[in-house]
Amino acid sequence: QVHLEESGGGSVQAGGSLTLSCAASWDYNTYCLGWFRQVPGNDREGIATINADGDTDYAKSVQGRFTIRRLNANNTLYLQMDNLQPGDTAIYYCARRDWWRLCPVREAPKFNHHGQGTQVTVSS
């Protein structure tokens, strides 16, 4: 079973920043990884992806404000979130796709392993 564990969620005011982390016990090197978010009642949205070569892709809703990066040495994925807005309030999930090359955000449904999520709340 593929296990991913998110951490770093919390509550911030609009304009603030948070960094989410995602740890795994398996080797990160050869997989596409991504961050998703979901508001209750809505579909889960893919917002950022990174492939095994470090190429990244972002949803327009977070482009320029969020940064995804990976540290293969300790099997950790990060999401740096800046200039957070109330519309960013959601449960955030990290995910893995069993692929290593191009993995754009538009192919988010192909990420088939997700963590349990961490809550991010942004107040105005």
Side-chain angles (χ1 to χ4, degrees):
Q1 184 175 357
V2 176
H3 179 72
L4 300 103
E5 185 169 355
E6 303 92 343
S7 61
S11 298
V12 296
Q13 291 190 324
S17 298
L18 279 175
T19 299
L20 306 182
S21 301
C22 177
S25 59
W26 38 268
D27 191 350
Y28 262 13
N29 282 347
T30 57
Y31 295 102
C32 283
L33 304 170
W35 286 98
F36 291 67
R37 66 185 182 186
Q38 187 171 22
V39 176
N42 290 0
D43 293 337
R44 191 168 297 187
E45 173 193 15
I47 57 173
T49 61
I50 185 167
N51 72 357
D53 293 329
D55 300 319
T56 59
D57 193 28
Y58 297 91
K60 289 182 180 179
S61 57
V62 305
Q63 180 85 44
R65 300 187 299 123
F66 291 10
T67 303
I68 185 172
R69 67 182 191 273
R70 60 194 296 162
L71 187 59
N72 291 336
N74 62 2
N75 292 331
T76 304
L77 179 71
Y78 301 95
L79 184 69
Q80 172 69 37
M81 305 185 293
D82 297 318
N83 191 21
L84 283 160
Q85 300 300 315
D88 296 316
T89 296
I91 299 173
Y92 284 71
Y93 302 85
C94 62
R96 187 186 97 177
R97 176 179 172 181
D98 292 339
W99 184 241
W100 70 96
R101 300 181 68 182
L102 296 176
C103 50
V105 167
R106 67 177 182 272
E107 295 184 0
K110 296 182 179 180
F111 283 75
N112 55 344
H113 305 287
H114 291 245
Q116 294 300 306
T118 185
Q119 176 72 45
V120 172
T121 302
V122 185
S123 58
S124 57

